[in-house]
Amino acid sequence: MRIILLGPPGAGKGTQAKFISEKFGIPHISTGDIFMRNISEGTELGRKAKNYIDQGLLVPDEVTIDLVMNRLEQNDVKEGYLLDGFPRTVHQGDVLCRMISESGQMLDAALLIDVPSSYIKERMPGRRICKFCGSSYHLQFNPPDEEGLCDHCGHELVQRRDDHVEAVEERLKVYEEQTMPLIDYFEKKKLLVRIDGTREIEEVTREIVEKLRALEKNE
Ligand code: AP5
Ligand code: MG
């Protein structure tokens, strides 16, 4: 399956992506995670992305599109993938859809995890991520088994660099202005699948899996 995950910052894209990727056996590609890893490793890509990310702005299309197009040429994504956080502009959507149709493939769904901004502002201060593997936790809604440590790899949990109030406000604004037009875009292509992301994590997962299984049956 080829799936896109849409939704505001903090909607739960990364949280749900882990389950979807495992259940459907498709690689999870998060542009945000790739940028964050490159920033902590001090690479050229990280240097290009850092200032934008710290301010809550989008990394320019020319950097992001090249990154994703190169990633989608690798062997492990031949049978499918889950894109988390890409596309985020209509231009990115156009490039992706063109690439998919030119290679004779199909996109199965654009999953929108819908969460109003009032929820997001409450959720963000409690998020903690693993410094090493990027897994996402929440102090209240999704705590790790052992306080401050990642369940998967045991490394330290930290607050994300762009989870401070100003950057969250900016990310929500950028989402409304630049990413929300993609909802209409994929609705017109009859690919949009809406998920209510305000419910508990397990309930959201259940609905996503049900809807994706139904799509698989119709293929
Ligand atoms: P990215 O990392 O994609 O950031 P984002 O879209 O802001 O999304 P987040 O990762 O913050 O949230 P999420 O939806 O994954 O939520 P999570 O599962 O962690 O991008 C970062 C930056 O990179 C961007 O700002 C931009 O600069 C750049 N970038 C990335 N892609 C780009 C692109 N295509 N073009 C240009 N620039 C790009 O959950 C959040 C919290 O809520 C966690 O604590 C979690 O435990 C908790 N939670 C999850 N689900 C629930 C629930 N149902 N109930 C209660 N709590 C929940
Ligand atoms: Mg994420």
Side-chain angles (χ1 to χ4, degrees):
M1 297 191 101
R2 288 176 195 84
I3 302 162
I4 287 171
L5 271 181
L6 289 174
K13 301 183 294 296
T15 303
Q16 297 299 333
K18 278 220 163 353
F19 300 116
I20 305 172
S21 162
E22 274 169 30
K23 278 219 165 10
F24 292 86
I26 47 177
H28 168 209
I29 303 172
S30 159
T31 40
D33 290 356
I34 297 174
F35 286 136
M36 294 296 182
R37 204 163 45 241
N38 276 275
I39 293 175
S40 45
E41 287 168 2
T43 68
E44 179 61 28
L45 177 65
R47 272 191 293 278
K48 280 186 192 161
K50 185 175 176 298
N51 280 342
Y52 298 102
I53 290 189
D54 287 351
Q55 293 175 64
L57 301 172
L58 293 186
V59 178
D61 274 355
E62 56 270 25
V63 176
T64 312
I65 289 173
D66 275 1
L67 168 78
V68 176
M69 292 303 121
N70 289 335
R71 178 67 185 85
L72 294 183
E73 276 171 14
Q74 290 172 19
N75 274 332
D76 63 324
V77 296
K78 291 270 182 281
E79 299 305 319
Y81 46 79
L82 174 64
L83 276 177
D84 161 6
F86 185 94
R88 242 177 166 100
T89 62
V90 170
H91 178 56
Q92 292 180 8
D94 277 336
V95 175
L96 178 71
C97 288
R98 201 175 332 120
M99 186 280 273
I100 291 177
S101 76
E102 280 172 1
S103 45
Q105 300 169 335
M106 263 178 51
L107 190 63
D108 292 275
L111 279 184
L112 169 66
I113 305 185
D114 216 359
V115 182
S117 46
S118 51
Y119 274 77
I120 303 290
K121 287 180 199 168
E122 270 181 40
R123 258 187 209 176
M124 285 313 221
R127 170 160 63 179
R128 295 293 179 274
I129 57 151
C130 172
K131 255 172 121 170
F132 185 73
C133 74
S135 294
S136 197
Y137 297 86
H138 196 281
L139 295 179
Q140 186 185 349
F141 305 120
N142 185 22
D145 294 339
E146 202 176 325
E147 199 184 319
L149 297 178
C150 179
D151 293 347
H152 304 288
C153 65
H155 284 81
E156 188 195 351
L157 301 182
V158 294
Q159 208 159 9
R160 217 168 87 162
R161 58 189 304 120
D162 59 347
D163 276 353
H164 56 92
V165 179
E166 297 80 14
V168 171
E169 292 280 351
E170 191 60 37
R171 282 155 66 201
L172 284 166
K173 198 167 129 228
V174 166
Y175 174 73
E176 277 172 29
E177 290 172 2
Q178 301 194 53
T179 308
M180 278 181 83
L182 283 169
I183 297 175
D184 227 28
Y185 179 92
F186 286 112
E187 195 143 46
K188 287 197 178 115
K189 289 182 184 287
K190 305 212 182 318
L191 288 170
L192 193 77
V193 177
R194 272 179 200 272
I195 306 287
D196 174 4
T198 61
R199 294 160 310 155
E200 287 190 7
I201 293 174
E202 294 74 21
E203 282 180 54
V204 178
T205 310
R206 206 172 307 126
E207 189 185 348
I208 293 177
V209 172
E210 257 172 36
K211 291 195 165 162
L212 290 181
R213 291 252 188 264
L215 281 177
E216 250 185 345
K217 274 193 191 140
N218 290 336
E219 265 181 5

